[in-house]
């Protein structure tokens, strides 16, 4: 659900890639044909994709936690079922994406180990806490909304397995986004307390959501190669602007205020112009210093460690069954 | 009890008929066990199992919604002014008004405890809903047809895990045996018959669970044998849930489940 533009093109020098093969590879991409797992590809392309798909998968798995925080407290049975199903979808996306990464020759176990060790990145947004029920609406509306902006172009990504995975993921995300907006609509049209809850959630999630698109284009070092490889189709700032233009009218329709005193409509271009994003906060969260980084990783590590005896038992049982069959 | 004493957002006063008590008992089983399974979300031993546990929980929550809606239909037919909805039963009753069996409110414990608990419940529910396919009440027969399909998978999934854990490693076997020893005393309550429901059972409107006990024991014995677990049916069993006498855990579960509607009475979400 939540790919983040982290400018992750592999910059290590290409080692002896055959110029003829490179040219054929680039020609294939330029012709909008997909690269498949059995095709030759430059190592840097492979490493870039592994890192991006893995970060995306990790984000799905870590993203289960902030929303999972409200499953047991969902305010109606309908909301409870929808939220549990949504978080389950995220787990499914994670599995699906790890499988796409595996087509590039890396194992899921190795990628999960990197996540558990804290050496892999995931979307910064999940390091913020969900403090009220309105946060569940805000995550669907804003976080999934931002993710969709990032991910729709990935459906046309040059790497076939990733592009095909994203088609399915985007369909589910778009459902989640509408579900989240519907929660916010109910709150905005509810009691004064519910309205305040919705406004508070918007105040807390707005800026971190804008950060999901990654650093401004002026600081973005490595987009060129990803663009040539058709992994990335739009710049961070372009996607951010599209998201803001789509979302501001939705907030206004609900009578909610965006927490940006500088926000205004540029009549000439039709774009909403926004105030300065606190990139120091973004960098701090990426460094592991967000409000929930430690909790999120600790929970994932705990689940993994506590499940070890179960996984061992399953393997031991399977081995015994194989022995019995062989005997 | 009369509905007159109800306060907005406070507890509802259910006018319990024998049929309504029956509906609420099975609805509460499904809600409480579904809620327990949802507590596993993002904590399961593997990602695949996280998905599976959510699936089991979703089936049960769906079953609870069907039965609560049916309860609302029954109550509203008797007293239309009540305007009962499914959420009234889940969010506006206190623990003594819940009719679930004690088994389903037991805490998740480790994965072995969750799977043994689920095996003990699903083996019962599979038999019970299959037997209920032919009851005379069309709403219940329709519910049974849907639930039986779902629960058959629950039983298989739980039994497969109990067998894997029992016949896995020394540690998994120890945990599975400990879970079984601790939870077996809660199984027999599922087969209790309430005296005022006997006429409904005699008329074929609902099924008397007592008649399924032998088949159930046979199933559990078969699973445990394959799991190489030792099984000794207790001579005494825990009881009281169907009458609203619960253990200490249910109140905490409900405090969490009901928090928002209790904190913001009258709000809709």
């Amino acid at each position: 659900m939540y790919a983040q533009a982290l400018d992750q093109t592999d910059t290590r020098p290409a080692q002896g890639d055959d110029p003829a093969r490179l040219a054929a590879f680039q020609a294939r991409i330029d012709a909008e044909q997909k690269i498949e797992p059995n095709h030759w590809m430059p190592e840097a392309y492979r490493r870039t994709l592994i890192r991006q798909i893995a970060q995306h998968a990790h984000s799905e798995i870590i993203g289960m936690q902030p929303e999972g925080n409200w499953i047991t407290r969902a305010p109606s049975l309908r909301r409870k079922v929808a939220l549990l199903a949504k978080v389950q979808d995220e787990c499914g996306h994670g599995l699906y994406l790890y499988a796409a990464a595996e087509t590039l020759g890396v194992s899921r176990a190795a990628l999960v180990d990197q996540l558990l060790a804290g050496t892999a990145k995931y979307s910064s947004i999940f390091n913020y806490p969900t403090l009220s029920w309105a946060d569940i609406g805000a995550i669907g509306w804003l976080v999934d909304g931002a993710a969709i902006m990032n991910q729709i172009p990935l459906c046309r990504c040059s790497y076939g397995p990733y592009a095909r995975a994203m088609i399915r993921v985007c369909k589910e995300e778009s459902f989640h986004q509408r579900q989240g907006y519907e929660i916010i609509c109910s709150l905005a049209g509810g009691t004064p307390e519910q309205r305040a809850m919705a406004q508070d959630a918007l105040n807390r999630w707005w800026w971190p959501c804008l950060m999901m698109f990654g650093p401004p284009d002026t600081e973005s070092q490595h987009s060129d190669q990803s663009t040539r490889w058709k992994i990335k189709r739009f710049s961070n700032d372009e996607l951010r602007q599209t998201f803001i233009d789509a979302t501001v009218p939705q907030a206004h329709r609900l009578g909610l205020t965006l927490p940006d005193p500088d926000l205004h409509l540029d009549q000439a271009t039709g774009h909403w112009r926004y105030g300065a994003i606190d990139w120091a906060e973004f960098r701090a969260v990426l460094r592991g210093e967000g409000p929930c980084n430690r909790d999120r990783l600790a929970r994932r590590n705990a689940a993994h460690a506590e499940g070890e005896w179960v996984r061992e038992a399953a393997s031991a049982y399977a081995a015994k069954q194989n022995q019995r069959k062989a005997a | 009890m009369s509905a007159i004493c109800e306060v907005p957002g406070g507890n509802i006063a259910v006018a319990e008929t024998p049929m309504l008590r029956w509906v609420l008992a099975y609805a509460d089983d499904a809600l409480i066990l579904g809620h327990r399974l949802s507590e596993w979300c993002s904590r399961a031993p593997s990602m695949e199992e996280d998905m599976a546990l959510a699936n089991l929980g979703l089936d049960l929550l769906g079953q609870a919604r069907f039965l609560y809606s049916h309860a609302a239909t029954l109550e509203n037919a008797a007293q239309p002014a009540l305007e009962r909805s499914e959420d009234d039963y889940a969010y506006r009753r206190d623990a003594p008004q819940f009719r679930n069996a004690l088994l389903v409110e037991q805490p998740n414990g480790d994965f072995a405890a969750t799977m043994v608990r689920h095996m003990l419940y699903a083996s019962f529910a599979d038999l019970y809903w299959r037997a209920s396919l032919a009851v005379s009440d069309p709403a219940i027969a329709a519910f049974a047809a849907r639930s039986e399909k779902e629960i058959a998978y629950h039983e298989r999934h739980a039994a497969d895990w109990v067998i894997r854990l029992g016949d896995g490693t020394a540690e998994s076997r120890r945990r599975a045996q400990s879970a079984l020893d601790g939870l077996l005393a809660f199984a027999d309550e599922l087969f209790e018959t309430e005296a005022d429901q006997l006429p409904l059972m005699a008329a074929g409107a609902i099924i008397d669970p007592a008649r399924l006990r032998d088949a159930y024991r046979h199933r559990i014995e078969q699973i445990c044998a394959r799991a190489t677990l030792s099984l000794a049916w207790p001579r005494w069993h825990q009881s009281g849930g169907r009458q609203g006498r619960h253990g200490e855990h249910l109140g905490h579960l409900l405090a969490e489940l009901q928090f928002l509607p209790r904190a913001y009475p009258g709000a809709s979400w």
Side-chain angles (χ1 to χ4, degrees), chain A residues 7-167:
Chain A
D7 292 325
Q8 46 203 339
T9 306
D10 193 291
T11 50
R12 281 178 281 178
Q15 290 173 341
D17 284 333
D18 175 358
R21 285 182 131 179
L22 262 179
F25 171 81
Q26 190 62 50
R28 192 175 177 86
I29 287 176
D30 293 342
E32 295 286 344
Q33 289 178 333
K34 295 295 179 218
I35 305 300
E36 298 298 339
N38 57 343
H39 292 160
W40 181 86
M41 63 187 81
E43 271 314 296
Y45 177 84
R46 184 188 300 277
R47 286 195 300 257
T48 296
L49 273 167
I50 287 176
R51 196 159 39 173
Q52 175 163 341
I53 298 173
Q55 286 180 358
H56 191 167
H58 299 331
S59 300
E60 299 282 358
I61 298 301
I62 295 291
M64 295 170 71
Q65 292 183 36
E67 290 179 278
N69 186 35
W70 281 90
I71 290 172
T72 55
R73 291 177 292 171
S76 71
L77 293 176
R78 176 172 162 258
R79 296 289 187 208
K80 194 180 192 70
V81 167
L83 182 58
L84 180 54
K86 177 183 195 265
V87 178
Q88 186 195 35
D89 280 351
E90 286 160 18
C91 190
H93 295 171
L95 280 171
Y96 211 48
L97 287 161
Y98 283 125
E102 285 191 316
T103 65
L104 291 157
V106 62
S107 74
R108 175 173 126 192
L111 297 174
V112 168
D113 282 346
Q114 291 169 7
L115 173 66
L116 296 175
T119 56
K121 284 196 171 70
Y122 57 85
S123 184
S124 56
I125 196 77
F126 300 115
N127 293 312
Y128 291 88
T130 49
L131 303 179
S132 80
W133 171 251
D135 290 28
I136 299 309
I139 288 185
W141 173 33
L142 302 172
V143 176
D144 291 340
I148 290 167
M149 296 289 169
N150 262 330
Q151 293 175 187
I152 295 280
L154 288 172
C155 297
R156 294 189 291 131
C157 164
S158 61
Y159 188 57
Y162 192 28
R164 289 189 288 273
M166 291 317 300
I167 290 169

Side-chain angles (χ1 to χ4, degrees), chain A residues 72 74 79 88 108 299 311, chain B residues 42 45 48 51 91 256 269:
Chain A
T72 55
R79 296 289 187 208
Q88 186 195 35
R108 175 173 126 192
R299 160 83 76 81
R311 298 189 298 274
Chain B
S42 83
E48 286 81 357
M51 304 271 292
Y91 290 91
E256 191 171 344
W269 302 89

